Amino acid sequence: MTVYNLATNPDCQDKLRRELEKELGAENIDYENAQKLQYLDMCINETLRMYPPAMRFERVCVKTTKVKDITIPVGMSVSVPVYAMQHDPEVWEKPDVFNPERFAPTEKAKYDPMDYMPFGHGPRNCIGMRLALLEAKMALADFVRNFRISVGSKTDIPPKMEDEEILKPTCLWLKLEEIK
């Protein structure tokens, strides 16, 4: 979905390509230099906000807890509507617009950590989160360095999504032009 967002926002794609050229030069991306790619991280985070891997997740309350004026008794199942929370217009201005700048360090600090949780939160968050993010960074960096991505006549804007628990597009048609 990040590739789709970059295809539909060529200015962001160009900015990312400039960051890759500046930070990596001719080097291959690895664990160390991946940490320097702030704009790449911002693009991935914004995509995960717009298209979280899971629409919602559930937890069972292990001890009676009070959240604001609501008491949640032990044993109660609690559903966390991740997609809805990450598209709340009271939190995210123009939530359906791809804006990686929301995740610039100064902007990111303005949000409550519970407003953004594509991998869950706390001790039960996704165990594979760090590996998944590193793999995404490495793949996207190589992809954007080698191809100019654009929309074509078959590209659905916005993309049509499957009616499933896991958020995924039914089909993505994009054009690739090799960069030499």
Side-chain angles (χ1 to χ4, degrees):
M1 293 308 301
T2 305
V3 173
Y4 169 85
N5 280 335
L6 293 171
T8 55
N9 296 276
D11 53 326
C12 295
Q13 184 179 164
D14 292 340
K15 184 173 181 176
L16 175 56
R17 193 169 288 107
R18 285 190 303 273
E19 177 186 66
L20 294 169
E21 289 168 2
K22 178 183 175 205
E23 296 297 334
L24 300 179
E27 286 181 61
N28 288 326
I29 186 168
D30 59 26
Y31 178 80
E32 299 300 323
N33 58 24
Q35 308 312 311
K36 300 176 191 174
L37 302 173
Q38 185 176 18
Y39 193 71
L40 175 59
D41 192 55
M42 291 163 51
C43 290
I44 291 170
N45 283 324
E46 176 66 349
T47 298
L48 288 169
R49 184 198 64 78
M50 294 178 74
Y51 305 103
M55 300 280 283
R56 65 183 175 84
F57 54 86
E58 295 192 13
R59 297 290 184 262
V60 175
C61 188
V62 294
K63 69 176 187 177
T64 300
T65 305
K66 189 166 183 153
V67 178
K68 296 187 180 179
D69 294 332
I70 300 170
T71 300
I72 304 169
V74 65
M76 177 178 266
S77 180
V78 177
S79 181
V80 180
V82 176
Y83 183 88
M85 291 167 50
Q86 293 182 179
H87 283 81
D88 183 350
E90 291 182 18
V91 175
W92 307 97
E93 184 180 337
K94 297 181 182 175
D96 295 325
V97 173
F98 180 69
N99 178 8
E101 300 301 326
R102 297 179 212 268
F103 290 93
T106 54
E107 291 300 308
K108 190 176 179 180
K110 295 176 184 177
Y111 296 107
D112 185 305
M114 302 304 273
D115 291 334
Y116 174 75
M117 56 173 91
F119 293 101
H121 193 72
R124 303 241 188 270
N125 71 344
C126 176
I127 193 169
M129 174 180 66
R130 287 185 180 175
L131 177 61
L133 289 172
L134 178 61
E135 288 178 336
K137 286 179 185 181
M138 294 176 93
L140 280 164
D142 276 347
F143 200 78
V144 171
R145 288 170 85 182
N146 291 295
F147 297 98
R148 182 163 314 284
I149 313 148
S150 59
V151 297
S153 60
K154 293 183 179 181
T155 306
D156 291 325
I157 302 175
K160 292 182 176 88
M161 304 305 268
E162 290 187 12
D163 189 20
E164 302 281 332
E165 285 287 318
I166 304 288
L167 192 60
K168 60 184 175 181
T170 57
C171 184
L172 279 183
W173 287 93
L174 299 171
K175 291 180 0 182
L176 302 177
E177 177 187 340
E178 189 172 7
I179 298 173
K180 300 199 182 211

